Amino acid sequence: MRSSLVSKLRRLLLPPESPQELLLRTLYHRLNASPFFVKRQINRAEASYRTWRREQDAQVPPSAERPDPLPVVMFLLSIAPGEEGSALATVDSLIALHGDGWQVQPVVTAGVDLVVYQARANVDGRLHQPLELDELKLTALPELAADFVVFCRAGDVFHPALLDHFHVALAAVPGSAVYYTDCEHAQAGSTAFKPFFKPAASSPELMLSFNYLSRGFIQKTSLVGLHTDPCEFSDLMDLEYALFLGLLSQSALMQHIPAVLVRLSSLPPLGKDQRAEIITACY
């Protein structure tokens, strides 16, 4: 009864498409587009995400019967000059992972100083000695002493439960070529992190604008038959992008892990994104 009365009053005072209704509607949209309201909505969204993130971190890691033997995961870690400290942060996050079965292979460009890393590698057999990108041949990737390969960049931070989630997904869907997780990355000019909740289904269209499969676990055997040559790339992550495009073009099976398990290092500066060149050159 009350709602009916309100509806009648509204039609009487603000008839649809009347000048006064159009004026109020315009004012409403202008207010919502004002810097104050936009900032308020952004702050609310960031607070909501921080709450969700704390709840995820407080959850008990998923448990599943671990494969026996454990699959070996090789993290190919891209390091450029000036990123040595960030690389150690990535290595520290890997050391903190629950469980074993991982290794790190640094892939460096000329001028990188890895004295501290090499000192660690001398006492931890999971940390391999660095090699340069032009030494990494695609034909050699299937020969790596690993079952899965993960491409990553200095500064990436992996969640301690990463391998727990991966093993659960692997046990549920053992035949996928790629297992990929949700992630978050720093926003320009802000200390806040922006989440990227990824689609569960393959999306070649999204891949053309953003490498949503990045930092995914690639089953090593799925790389056989791809014709991308690492020598064509000056950045390890460009090679990763080209490989994922190749796997998508083959309709390889992809398995989504619905959890934010990677904090990405900063995104490439504007003008230094090579997606268009890679797409043109390879496809």
Side-chain angles (χ1 to χ4, degrees):
M1 196 65 186
R2 183 177 177 181
S3 61
S4 175
L5 178 61
V6 170
S7 179
K8 288 179 180 179
L9 284 173
R10 182 185 181 283
R11 287 197 297 269
L12 177 64
L13 299 174
L14 295 171
E17 305 303 323
S18 65
Q20 56 267 38
E21 194 227 18
L22 292 175
L23 175 62
L24 287 177
R25 190 189 304 172
T26 300
L27 289 174
Y28 171 80
H29 287 296
R30 285 180 178 175
L31 282 172
N32 275 278
S34 66
F36 171 79
F37 278 91
V38 170
K39 182 64 176 175
R40 179 172 174 268
Q41 290 299 100
I42 291 174
N43 288 340
R44 292 178 64 183
E46 290 177 350
S48 175
Y49 174 63
R50 287 194 297 270
T51 300
W52 180 89
R53 190 72 161 81
R54 286 193 296 270
E55 291 175 354
Q56 177 191 269
D57 292 344
Q59 292 175 357
V60 176
S63 59
E65 184 175 345
R66 293 182 180 272
D68 186 21
L70 281 176
V72 177
V73 180
M74 180 72 76
F75 289 85
L76 296 176
L77 175 58
S78 172
I79 311 174
E83 296 180 342
E84 294 86 352
S86 298
L88 292 178
T90 301
V91 171
D92 286 340
S93 74
L94 293 172
I95 291 174
L97 291 178
H98 301 159
D100 295 315
W102 59 267
Q103 301 175 26
V104 178
Q105 175 59 71
V107 180
V108 304
T109 52
V112 172
D113 180 4
L114 290 180
V115 173
V116 176
Y117 172 86
Q118 288 172 324
R120 290 191 184 187
N122 290 334
V123 295
D124 190 334
R126 298 171 298 183
L127 308 181
H128 294 216
Q129 292 300 321
L131 55 80
E132 295 194 4
L133 181 58
D134 58 5
E135 299 178 82
L136 185 67
K137 308 297 183 185
L138 184 62
T139 54
L141 287 177
E143 304 303 321
L144 289 173
D147 302 296
F148 289 85
V149 176
V150 177
F151 290 77
C152 56
R153 188 184 296 280
D156 292 345
V157 175
F158 294 91
H159 193 283
L162 175 70
L163 293 181
D164 296 313
H165 286 270
F166 169 59
H167 291 149
V168 168
L170 183 60
V173 189
S176 293
V178 177
Y179 299 80
Y180 61 101
T181 75
D182 297 326
C183 65
E184 61 184 9
H185 59 83
Q187 302 183 70
S190 172
T191 57
F193 288 89
K194 183 177 182 180
F196 181 22
F197 298 107
K198 303 177 182 179
S202 295
S203 177
E205 298 82 4
L206 176 60
M207 193 68 174
L208 295 178
S209 62
F210 190 89
N211 184 4
Y212 74 93
L213 297 173
S214 189
R215 280 67 166 184
F217 295 79
I218 306 173
Q219 187 137 212
K220 186 183 67 174
T221 54
S222 68
L223 297 174
V224 177
L226 294 181
H227 302 294
T228 303
D229 185 357
C231 295
E232 299 174 359
F233 304 97
S234 58
D235 187 289
L236 183 69
M237 305 313 291
D238 291 342
L239 170 60
E240 179 207 42
Y241 183 53
L243 292 175
F244 278 134
L245 285 175
L247 290 172
L248 280 173
S249 71
Q250 294 180 350
S251 300
L253 294 177
M254 311 281 176
Q255 180 64 30
H256 178 229
I257 300 174
V260 176
L261 300 175
V262 188
R263 175 174 292 175
L264 302 185
S265 58
S266 58
L267 297 176
L270 291 176
K272 293 193 175 181
D273 192 318
Q274 302 298 311
R275 285 196 308 267
E277 290 86 348
I278 294 170
I279 294 167
T280 301
C282 300
Y283 304 97

